[in-house]
């Protein structure tokens, strides 16, 4: 019995370590997601790398080649799994998502929409609606801890579902900070201050929860 358990342990130990590659548009997303994902992955053996690009056009331009590289790494035996996170901005959400899934297929990878019967897939494509800052509005307690001068409640339009209001959430967020006497217009600094305070559970943004539930499914 002991030898059987030992063989099972050796088999489990021989599996490659999961390498989670998270591709984001810019530094602000990287700063916000590092502490958030560290909490999601706490206790796991997943190796996390966040790759930031010079904006959404840069990420989308380089994504096909980047995915080809990950596919090659998987063929060599590495257990690389990929998250792509982009802002919706003014794009059609369904079209953007189809394009991201198509890039994965063309590289020989499996997007979540094509997961097999066991639920296995290689690439999670997620869209922040409309921008990453919408997630900040979804967890106003985190914002108030980061910036105590702001009002006790988020603007009315962002209270129920912060993904719904049209326009740039980042512009609205900056105006709120400015009107509260906070002279910080740096998005990366927002991410550094708010990211460690974001709750993995208490957020009113559906796209935030879709992102986290997808990450959990990807590394399962």
């Amino acid at each position: 019995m002991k030898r059987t358990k030992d063989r099972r342990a050796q088999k489990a130990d021989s599996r490659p370590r999961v390498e989670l590659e998270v591709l984001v548009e810019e530094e602000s997303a990287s700063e916000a997601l590092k502490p958030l994902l560290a909490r999601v992955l706490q206790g796991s053996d997943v190796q996390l790398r966040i790759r930031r690009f010079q904006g959404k056009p840069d990420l989308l331009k380089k994504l096909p080649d980047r995915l080809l590289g990950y596919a090659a790494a998987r063929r060599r035996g590495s257990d690389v799994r990929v998250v792509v996170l982009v802002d919706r901005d003014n794009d059609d959400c369904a079209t953007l998502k189809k394009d991201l899934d198509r890039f994965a297929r063309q590289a020989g990878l499996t997007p979540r929409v094509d997961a097999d019967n066991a639920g296995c897939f290689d690439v999670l494509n997620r869209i922040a609606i409309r921008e990453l800052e919408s997630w900040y509005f979804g967890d106003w307690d985190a914002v108030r801890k980061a910036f105590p001068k702001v009002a006790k409640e988020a603007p009315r339009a962002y209270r129920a579902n912060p993904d719904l209001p049209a326009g740039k959430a980042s512009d609205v967020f900056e105006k709120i900070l400015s009107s509260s006497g906070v002279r910080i217009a740096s998005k990366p600094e927002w991410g550094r201050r708010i990211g460690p305070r974001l709750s993995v559970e208490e957020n009113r943004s559906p796209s935030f929860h879709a992102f986290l539930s997808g990450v959990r499914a990807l590394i399962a």
Side-chain angles (χ1 to χ4, degrees), residues 11 22 39 47 49 61 70 84 89 92 100 109 118-119 153 156 161 163 184 198:
K11 184 177 180 180
V22 181
R39 277 177 279 136
Q47 181 178 354
R49 296 190 189 93
K61 179 181 178 182
Y70 292 141
V84 180
D89 299 316
D92 178 77
L100 295 173
L109 297 170
E153 291 188 291
R156 186 176 300 276
N161 182 346
D163 292 355
I184 300 176
L198 284 173

Side-chain angles (χ1 to χ4, degrees), residues 129-142:
I129 303 174
R130 297 186 178 259
E131 294 182 286
L132 180 72
E133 286 76 17
S134 299
W135 294 0
Y136 299 164
F137 283 116
D139 188 351
W140 200 245
D141 286 343

Side-chain angles (χ1 to χ4, degrees), residues 29-166:
S30 174
E31 293 295 335
L33 291 182
K34 276 189 292 188
L36 178 69
L37 290 176
R39 277 177 279 136
V40 172
L41 301 175
Q42 190 172 9
S44 74
D45 191 37
V46 175
Q47 181 178 354
L48 172 66
R49 296 190 189 93
I50 300 180
R51 314 282 188 181
R52 68 175 188 251
F53 292 77
Q54 301 302 312
K56 183 175 177 180
D58 182 52
L59 190 160
L60 295 178
K61 179 181 178 182
K62 295 176 180 176
L63 183 58
D65 286 342
R66 173 74 67 166
L67 293 175
L68 285 171
Y70 292 141
R74 287 187 62 84
R75 289 194 297 271
R76 292 192 298 267
S78 296
D79 191 359
V80 180
R81 308 181 195 185
V82 185
V83 177
V84 180
L85 177 66
V86 295
D87 290 345
R88 175 186 172 185
D89 299 316
N90 292 319
D91 290 334
D92 178 77
C93 191
T95 300
L96 179 58
K97 180 67 163 51
K98 287 179 180 178
D99 287 342
L100 295 173
D101 290 338
R102 175 170 50 83
F103 291 152
R105 293 187 194 101
Q106 289 175 342
L109 297 170
T110 304
R112 188 176 189 182
V113 69
D114 297 341
D116 62 21
N117 293 334
C120 296
F121 59 101
D122 312 318
V123 180
L124 175 71
N125 293 312
R126 281 291 177 256
I127 300 170
I129 303 174
R130 297 186 178 259
E131 294 182 286
L132 180 72
E133 286 76 17
S134 299
W135 294 0
Y136 299 164
F137 283 116
D139 188 351
W140 200 245
D141 286 343
V143 174
R144 292 198 66 225
K145 290 174 183 175
F147 301 105
K149 291 183 179 180
V150 301
K152 291 184 178 180
E153 291 188 291
R156 186 176 300 276
Y158 289 87
R159 288 178 194 170
N161 182 346
D163 292 355
L164 290 179

